Amino acid sequence: MTVIDFTAFIERLASASGEAIMPFFRTSLGIDNKNTGRDLDPVTEADRGAEAVMRRMIKENFPQHGIIGEEFGSERPDAEYVWVLDPIDGTKSFISGMPVWGTLIALMRHGVPAYGMMHQPYIGERFSGDNGAAFYQGRTGRRKLGTRRCASLADATLFTTSPRLMNEADRAKFAKVEEEVRLSRYGGDCYAYCMLAAGHLDLVIETELKPHDVAALIPIVHGAGGIMTTWEGGGPERGGRIVASGDKRLHDTVLKMLTA
């Protein structure tokens, strides 16, 4: 089987997860904090319900596959094919009623992200990629995605979810980059990477990411012609400190600044 054989099933996973999530959006749902400290790391019944639905479908259709999910942990993580699930990436936006969140579904093969989808059921948009190409599907139809050329920080639009999520040292390095760009905006979570793939922004810089935060986004960014690495230039599939750029020239400049 090749990755292309799984695309119809991934569409079904996205639809099923959206059906599980939407009854909870913009309602008075209960919120639990996964963090025992002061910082909020929220999880809701929508997160748990959507991941449970996707896990059940995967086990029924591909019992030999592994699964790594944000809410329910890992099963068979060393399998040839492993699904990486983040039922609601951007839960803080979700509980605030803001529609800049999405369901992330990745299919890994031999530890490498081979296919990824970001589904936003409220807006009705899907972004997908297989490292070779990336596509948008929404109310305006289906189209191929492509990053835009941007060689200079002075011309770049930069996104991060929030500098407050960074430690003091990383925040200082981020600030040096931020001072040089044309426009800097906060928020977006997974949506920022998809907008980079669509050619609407140029740079995303983040830290402390988990594999489920990035696995689905890597094939989308790469498929659209962008580049996504750690701050040190390594593979991003394990998460950590991540840089995504639409233009390699810009990427090279930013990596030098972040590692100086």
Side-chain angles (χ1 to χ4, degrees), residues 55-74:
R55 280 178 176 266
R56 183 168 61 250
M57 291 174 65
I58 292 167
K59 291 178 182 179
E60 290 173 352
N61 288 272
F62 304 105
Q64 73 277 22
H65 288 192
I67 304 174
I68 298 173
E70 180 180 15
E71 307 306 335
F72 299 115
S74 301

Side-chain angles (χ1 to χ4, degrees), residues 87-110:
I88 300 178
D89 183 78
T91 303
K92 292 177 182 177
S93 292
F94 182 89
I95 64 175
S96 303
M98 302 295 289
V100 283
W101 51 271
T103 298
L104 298 180
I105 304 170
L107 179 60
M108 309 272 286
R109 188 179 188 192
H110 299 305

Side-chain angles (χ1 to χ4, degrees), residues 66-256:
I67 304 174
I68 298 173
E70 180 180 15
E71 307 306 335
F72 299 115
S74 301
E75 302 177 57
R76 296 174 55 93
D78 297 326
E80 177 183 358
Y81 288 101
V82 177
W83 298 85
V84 183
L85 309 173
D86 190 345
I88 300 178
D89 183 78
T91 303
K92 292 177 182 177
S93 292
F94 182 89
I95 64 175
S96 303
M98 302 295 289
V100 283
W101 51 271
T103 298
L104 298 180
I105 304 170
L107 179 60
M108 309 272 286
R109 188 179 188 192
H110 299 305
V112 177
Y115 189 92
M117 174 176 286
M118 190 283 265
H119 177 219
Q120 217 304 330
Y122 182 75
I123 299 176
E125 294 184 327
R126 295 181 182 186
F127 299 81
S128 61
D130 63 0
N131 295 304
F135 297 90
Y136 166 86
Q137 177 69 46
R139 294 174 182 172
T140 58
R142 177 179 169 86
R143 68 175 184 272
K144 190 173 183 179
L145 297 175
T147 60
R148 67 185 180 191
R149 294 173 60 83
C150 179
S152 170
L153 277 171
D155 297 321
T157 296
L158 164 68
F159 261 72
T160 191
T161 298
S162 172
R164 295 190 62 181
L165 298 175
M166 302 176 184
N167 62 42
E168 185 175 351
D170 288 346
R171 192 181 306 124
K173 292 180 178 180
F174 170 82
K176 292 180 180 179
V177 177
E178 186 177 29
E179 289 174 359
E180 301 295 327
V181 300
R182 181 181 65 175
L183 175 64
S184 174
R185 302 295 293 169
Y186 301 158
D189 294 281
C190 59
Y191 241 107
Y193 297 86
C194 294
M195 292 300 97
L196 183 146
H200 299 301
L201 58 99
D202 308 290
L203 186 62
V204 182
I205 301 176
E206 300 198 278
T207 64
E208 311 299 331
L209 297 185
K210 302 295 190 296
H212 57 256
D213 295 317
V214 297
L217 299 169
I218 296 166
I220 299 172
V221 170
H222 288 176
I227 182 170
M228 191 167 167
T229 70
T230 64
W231 285 22
E232 296 75 26
E237 59 274 359
R238 295 183 180 273
R241 303 188 300 177
I242 299 297
V243 182
S245 308
D247 190 312
K248 188 178 185 302
R249 295 169 296 176
L250 181 67
H251 199 82
D252 291 343
T253 297
V254 172
L255 290 189
K256 290 177 182 177

